[in-house]
Amino acid sequence: MGAKRKTMYVEDNKAVVTAVYDAYQRGDVQGIINLHSPDALWIDYSPANSDLRGDWRGPNGIEAFMTNLDMTMNVEKFVVQKLLAEGDTVISIIDTRFTPRGSNFQEEARLVQIFKLANEKIVQMESFLSTSEEAFG
């Protein structure tokens, strides 16, 4: 792959991840799903007491994750600070603020997500949330 094509490939992958975040901001779960391969795997490493922690596979898994996210927390801030990409991998660094549903506890956190892509579709996403245990329990 030539240098120009390699650069375009990386930029295409970053554009896919940006489109996921744009769909998230609009509340467009189907738009998020459409940017993933049919057997995509999401792995969430939230604290052990979080309903979001675990493996989520395929369209049903992504939809279930998004439903769980909506049911467990109100996200007040979601700002992508950086998108780093090399080859088939895109890493995002996000500043977020949320309040667990039924709570007055507001949490500021850093979210790091690692995406693997193939053929301009996401095949895997790993999510690491730096937050306190109190945020989920």
Side-chain angles (χ1 to χ4, degrees), residues 23-102:
Y24 171 72
Q25 297 282 2
R26 293 190 310 271
D28 180 5
V29 175
Q30 189 59 52
I32 294 169
I33 290 169
N34 291 345
L35 294 163
H36 289 74
S37 69
D39 61 344
L41 174 63
W42 280 13
I43 306 167
D44 189 281
Y45 297 102
S46 291
N49 59 337
S50 168
D51 291 337
L52 301 174
R53 184 181 181 93
D55 295 357
W56 307 84
R57 184 171 293 280
N60 292 338
I62 294 169
E63 185 173 20
F65 177 91
M66 297 305 294
T67 298
N68 254 2
L69 177 65
D70 188 51
M71 288 176 28
T72 59
M73 68 180 63
N74 180 39
V75 178
E76 292 112 17
K77 174 181 154 188
F78 188 91
V79 178
V80 178
Q81 295 296 335
K82 263 188 206 291
L83 274 182
L84 308 167
E86 184 170 326
D88 65 354
T89 302
V90 177
I91 300 171
S92 61
I93 301 171
I94 300 157
D95 288 333
T96 186
R97 182 178 59 245
F98 60 90
T99 304
R101 301 265 185 218

Side-chain angles (χ1 to χ4, degrees), residues 118-137:
N119 301 316
E120 296 185 16
K121 295 283 186 179
I122 296 166
V123 296
Q124 182 175 305
M125 187 273 293
E126 293 181 271
S127 187
F128 303 85
L129 183 66
S130 171
T131 187
S132 64
E133 292 283 333
E134 294 84 21
F136 293 98

